[in-house]
């Protein structure tokens, strides 16, 4: 999901709305764990720029930053603005290489205006094409698409003719991975959470088969039925029981791409046990986690290819847009 930001002209020059963390969630986050506040718009200092956020990407990974425990980023502190990827417009700049009017992508915060500098994660200048919606750059042509492309090529090393299993295949990253793997000549099987999603990935996104984990019964059996010769590459967005089932269905020398573990984000202090890790040894599997931030040198080539596929209509960008920062 993406949030497009509506800003009152009356407050534009004085106030900055922020969505902040009011309390650490217990399990599924609730509205009362957050608060919408107003602060003054900060002035950029040397080496900084002031940006107006236009679109936020509501990433599943944000949940992993709400528990007060550091992982690959510092946790969001109580009272701190929620961190998330955004497409933004530069209002004023004291940062070399950026000037007023530039459209950028970066890991900012859920607020009208953010200060950005050279240390902002994922910071890049965009060159939006007039016939492509700007919102695409917060999803399929942004972090989600780049993550799917880099994961499949750099970690999964996919080859035409291979069988690729993708969990959360109708999600932001999974939907892009499904289409990319299909375009690379792979047989794609997607694990999804509903019959409507199963129809979407098979009839619109190019998957050869879909498994509804909510109704399929034994997931290992369902994967085996859909991939009778085994799985060459598993793109894991879910972890937990789905990963445990997939490990049992891998071919010898198969590759597991560790992209996300969304099944455990709401209970990270008590994660789902993985019982079939021995398959890594038995079948000489490669299992590697990755963060897009480590592969930023691969993003330009990924972006170029994704643009080509979007222009040609070979890739469809899925969006769910809600208007207004207070609705985040």
């Amino acid at each position: 999901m993406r949030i497009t930001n509506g800003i009152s002209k009356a407050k534009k020059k004085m106030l900055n709305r922020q969505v902040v963390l009011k309390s650490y969630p217990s399990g599924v986050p609730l509205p009362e764990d957050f608060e919408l506040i107003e602060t003054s718009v900060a002035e950029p200092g040397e080496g900084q720029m002031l940006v107006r956020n236009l679109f936020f990407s509501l990433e599943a990974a944000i949940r992993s930053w709400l528990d007060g425990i550091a992982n690959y980023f510092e946790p969001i502190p109580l009272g701190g603005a929620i961190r998330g990827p955004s497409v933004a417009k530069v209002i004023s700049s004291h940062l070399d290489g950026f000037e007023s009017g530039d459209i950028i992508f970066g890991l900012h915060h859920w607020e009208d205006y953010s200060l950005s500098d050279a240390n902002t994660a994922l910071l890049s200048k965009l060159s939006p094409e007039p016939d492509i919606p700007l919102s695409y750059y917060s999803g399929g042509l942004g972090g989600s698409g780049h993550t799917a492309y880099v994961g499949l090529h750099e970690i999964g090393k996919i080859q035409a003719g291979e069988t690729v299993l993708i969990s959360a295949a109708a999600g932001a990253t999974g939907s892009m991975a499904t289409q990319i793997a299909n375009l690379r000549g792979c047989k794609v099987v997607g694990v999804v959470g509903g019959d409507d999603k199963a129809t979407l990935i098979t009839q619109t996104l190019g998957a050869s088969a879909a498994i509804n984990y909510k109704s399929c019964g034994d997931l290992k059996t369902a994967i085996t039925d859909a991939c009778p010769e085994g799985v060459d590459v598993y793109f894991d967005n879910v972890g937990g029981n789905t990963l445990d089932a997939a490990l049992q269905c891998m071919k010898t020398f198969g590759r597991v791409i560790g992209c996300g573990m969304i099944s455990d984000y709401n209970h990270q202090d008590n994660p789902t046990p993985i019982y079939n890790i021995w398959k890594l040894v038995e079948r000489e599997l490669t299992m590697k986690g990755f963060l897009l931030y480590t592969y930023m040198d691969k993003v330009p080539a990924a972006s170029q290819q994704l643009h080509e596929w979007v222009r040609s209509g070979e890739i469809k960008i899925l969006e769910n847009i809600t208007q207004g920062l207070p609705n985040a």
Side-chain angles (χ1 to χ4, degrees):
M1 176 183 286
R2 277 169 284 290
I3 296 289
T4 179
N5 198 2
I7 299 177
S8 166
K9 291 183 179 180
K11 296 181 178 180
K12 179 178 178 182
K13 294 184 179 180
M14 300 190 319
L15 297 178
N16 187 31
R17 299 171 302 169
Q18 295 180 316
V19 177
V20 301
L21 185 63
K22 187 177 180 181
S23 57
Y24 295 127
S26 177
V28 177
L30 301 172
E32 50 263 37
D33 294 321
F34 307 89
E35 185 176 15
L36 183 69
I37 65 171
E38 290 183 341
T39 64
S40 299
V41 175
E43 290 292 329
E46 190 63 32
Q48 293 182 316
M49 56 183 173
L50 179 68
V51 304
R52 172 181 170 175
N53 293 304
L54 303 176
F55 292 93
F56 300 104
S57 179
L58 273 66
E59 305 279 335
I62 293 171
R63 177 62 184 88
S64 70
W65 307 331
L66 303 182
D67 289 334
I69 302 171
N71 46 44
Y72 57 94
F73 281 126
E74 289 299 313
I76 297 169
L78 292 178
I82 304 303
R83 181 193 305 123
S86 81
V87 171
K89 182 177 182 179
V90 177
I91 302 301
S92 59
S93 176
H94 303 301
L95 178 61
D96 289 344
F98 296 87
E99 58 186 38
S100 177
D102 285 346
I103 302 296
I104 67 167
F105 181 86
L107 194 66
H108 296 119
H109 294 90
W110 289 7
E111 56 189 354
D112 291 327
Y113 298 93
S114 292
L115 290 178
S116 194
D117 59 32
N119 294 318
T120 299
L122 296 179
L123 179 63
S124 59
K125 187 187 296 187
L126 301 177
S127 299
E129 299 187 10
D131 58 338
I132 292 179
L134 187 59
S135 58
Y136 282 14
Y137 293 91
S138 62
L141 290 178
S144 299
H146 298 157
T147 297
Y149 190 96
V150 169
L152 287 170
H153 292 89
E154 298 301 321
I155 312 301
K157 301 187 184 303
I158 57 171
Q159 301 293 324
E162 292 187 319
T163 296
V164 177
L165 179 70
I166 300 171
S167 56
T173 299
S175 65
M176 293 298 292
T178 296
Q179 296 178 86
I180 293 167
N182 177 59
L183 287 166
R184 291 304 194 201
C186 299
K187 173 185 174 180
V188 182
V189 175
V191 179
V192 296
D195 290 340
D196 54 340
K197 295 178 181 179
T199 299
L200 170 68
I201 69 167
T202 53
Q203 295 189 8
T204 303
L205 304 186
S208 298
I211 299 168
N212 179 357
Y213 74 88
K214 294 181 178 180
S215 62
C216 71
D218 181 70
L219 185 54
K220 172 186 176 292
T221 300
I223 296 172
T224 301
D225 289 344
C227 311
E229 296 180 359
V231 175
D232 294 287
V233 177
Y234 171 45
F235 196 113
D236 184 29
N237 291 303
V238 174
N241 293 328
T242 307
L243 172 60
D244 215 31
L247 286 171
Q248 301 175 74
C249 304
M250 301 297 296
K251 287 183 183 179
T252 300
F253 304 122
R255 289 90 72 198
V256 178
I257 305 166
C259 180
M261 301 282 174
I262 58 178
S263 66
D264 282 327
Y265 286 171
N266 284 321
H267 45 88
Q268 296 182 76
D269 57 342
N270 186 28
T272 305
I274 304 298
Y275 296 102
N276 293 293
I277 203 71
W278 166 249
K279 296 298 179 181
L280 287 175
V281 178
E282 178 189 326
R283 297 183 186 172
E284 299 185 77
L285 306 178
T286 299
M287 182 175 180
K288 180 174 172 55
F290 80 104
L291 299 171
L292 182 61
Y293 320 111
T294 306
Y295 295 85
M296 291 303 291
D297 61 319
K298 307 298 182 183
V299 166
S303 180
Q304 180 179 348
Q305 179 62 78
L306 291 173
H307 273 82
E308 291 178 8
W309 281 330
V310 169
R311 286 191 217 99
S312 68
E314 294 173 280
I315 274 188
K316 297 174 177 60
I317 305 293
L318 304 184
E319 293 189 300
N320 181 350
I321 296 179
T322 298
Q323 287 276 351
L325 181 64
N327 294 318

